[in-house]
Every structure is written in structure tokens, then in C-alpha cells.
Amino acid sequence: MRMPSPAPSPAVPAAKQPPAADRVYRHVKQAVLDRRYEGGTLLTEGELAQAVGVSRTPVREALLKLEMEGLLKLYPKKGALVLAVSAQEIADVVETRLLVEEFAVRRAVPAPPALVERLEELLEEQKRRAGAGDLGEVAVTDRCFHAEIVRYAGNQILSRLYDQLRDRQLRMGVAVMQAHPDRVAQNIAEHAEILDRLKAGDEEGAAAAVRRHLGRVGGLVRGEGR
């Protein structure tokens, strides 16, 4: 007696890819933030379409969105120019960060255990990323460290304002670390100092540590020494 054939296994649906325009957007934006596409680079629709494996239509859609975010400038029939970070933009970002972060770190004292634990995790993650030489992820972790303090200040309007600086912070952070490799270890040490002041409940000390840290970062981004 012949045994019946086993029933065919149900087909496993293929993972659904994000829309083509989203894939182009993520590809270009990440490359700009990582400085693989540096300021002054001219990107063409054809090259991007080939790099991502899509047609030119979603490329145009993605580039328009990135132009609205201030990362690119479109030139009809030529392509998209990656905009360099201007001196005025640097000054504006550092000034805004100082206003928001000094206020936030004062509000975070005395630091709740959950905040201390999260900052310790981010500091260890930053050390691991630095050891691996991944500057893009070091910049992301750096930004998360400061964003956690801002979030714990409890002012949602300030948190949303701070989030709007994210892309500029990441781009500037990578630029500083590429130009000043020793800055990675110094950055970690300054974060540790901020965390120590928070743990100690030292409001003035924490605020002073934030001012020193951002002052050094701002000076390096502007090209003012080490």
C-alpha cells in the first residue's frame, strides 16, 4: 500500500521591503550623516538609482524630502549638491544645545536611578563602539547620552526642539572625530564627568561640566584648535 505524499509546507512570505523612495532616502541620509557623501558632493539621480536598485522616480521623491530637511540643494538636470555645514549653523546648534542642555542637567539633579542606569549603559556602549572604530555609531551614542538627560528634564517642548537638532549633531560629531581622533576618548571622559556630577547630586558641577564639554566640541567644529 502506497503511503500518501506529505502535504506541501506552506510558503513563507518574503519579507516586505520598504517603499523604494524610503530606501533611497535612508541610503542618502545615512551617507550624508556619516560623511561618506561630504559637503560639496554632487549626487546624480542615475548613480543613486543604480546604487539602491530602483528607478529614477523614487530617487527624485527622496531627494526632494532631503532638500526640505536642509541636507541637499537640488539643481534641475544636474543633480543634488550635499550642503556643507556653515559656520552660522554650527554657532546656532552649539548655542541651542547650551541653552537646552544646561537647563536640562540642572532639572535632572538629583538624578533618578533609572537615568543613572541608562547613562551608564550608554557610556559603556560608546566605549565599545569607539573600540570598534565605528565613528558613526559613536556619534549616535553620544547624541543619545545627552538626549536622555534632556528627556528626563520633563519638558516635552524642549525635548521636541532638541530632537530637531539630531541630524546636525550627528553630522558635526562625525566631522569632529574624523578630524581629531583623540577627541573620542576625551568625549567619553567628559561624559563620565557629567555622569559623576549627576550621581553626586551636584547641580552646579553638572552644569559646569556640560558647559565645558559643549564649549570644547563647538570650538573643534569651528576649527579652533584641540
Side-chain angles (χ1 to χ4, degrees):
M1 182 176 177
R2 192 167 63 181
M3 298 293 292
S5 300
S9 301
V12 178
K16 187 177 180 180
Q17 280 195 316
D22 287 353
R23 300 206 308 274
V24 177
Y25 171 83
R26 293 175 189 174
H27 168 81
V28 176
K29 184 168 186 175
Q30 193 59 54
V32 170
L33 297 182
D34 289 347
R35 289 171 59 86
R36 284 178 282 128
Y37 294 155
E38 294 196 37
T41 302
L42 184 66
L43 308 174
T44 67
E45 291 181 1
E47 290 170 342
L48 292 175
Q50 185 175 16
V52 184
V54 298
S55 68
R56 293 193 179 201
T57 300
V59 172
R60 295 189 194 102
E61 182 181 337
L63 293 181
L64 282 169
K65 185 176 180 181
L66 289 163
E67 183 180 45
M68 291 177 63
E69 293 181 7
L71 295 177
L72 307 175
K73 173 66 176 176
L74 298 186
Y75 292 92
K77 299 182 181 179
K78 292 184 179 180
L81 185 70
V82 179
L83 295 177
V85 179
S86 69
Q88 185 61 54
E89 182 179 0
I90 291 169
D92 291 348
V93 169
V94 172
E95 185 176 77
T96 305
R97 286 191 63 187
L98 275 168
L99 290 170
V100 174
E101 292 187 37
E102 184 174 347
F103 169 84
V105 82
R106 288 180 180 278
R107 287 286 294 269
V109 177
L115 174 59
V116 171
E117 181 180 355
R118 179 60 179 148
L119 293 180
E120 288 175 337
E121 290 172 355
L122 288 168
L123 196 56
E124 289 304 311
E125 178 67 14
Q126 193 174 17
K127 291 176 184 176
R128 285 194 294 272
R129 297 295 186 176
D134 190 342
L135 296 185
E137 286 301 318
V138 171
V140 169
T141 313
D142 180 319
R143 195 265 169 194
C144 288
F145 183 93
H146 292 278
E148 279 297 312
I149 297 173
V150 173
R151 186 169 70 84
Y152 267 86
N155 187 314
Q156 294 185 5
I157 294 175
L158 274 186
S159 291
R160 287 195 293 270
L161 171 64
Y162 193 78
D163 285 343
Q164 291 174 17
L165 301 176
R166 176 185 179 276
D167 293 344
R168 292 177 172 85
Q169 286 178 249
L170 294 179
R171 196 175 178 197
M172 291 177 190
V174 172
V176 166
M177 289 183 286
Q178 287 178 340
H180 305 276
D182 59 329
R183 181 61 205 165
V184 178
Q186 293 170 1
N187 206 40
I188 291 171
E190 288 167 17
H191 283 181
E193 181 186 6
I194 294 169
L195 179 54
D196 286 344
R197 294 302 91 213
L198 284 171
K199 285 180 178 179
D202 181 358
E203 180 181 326
E204 292 302 324
V210 165
R211 285 196 302 273
R212 285 193 297 271
H213 175 60
L214 293 180
R216 289 172 185 141
V217 171
L220 290 172
V221 175
R222 291 190 296 269
E224 300 171 358
R226 299 175 68 82

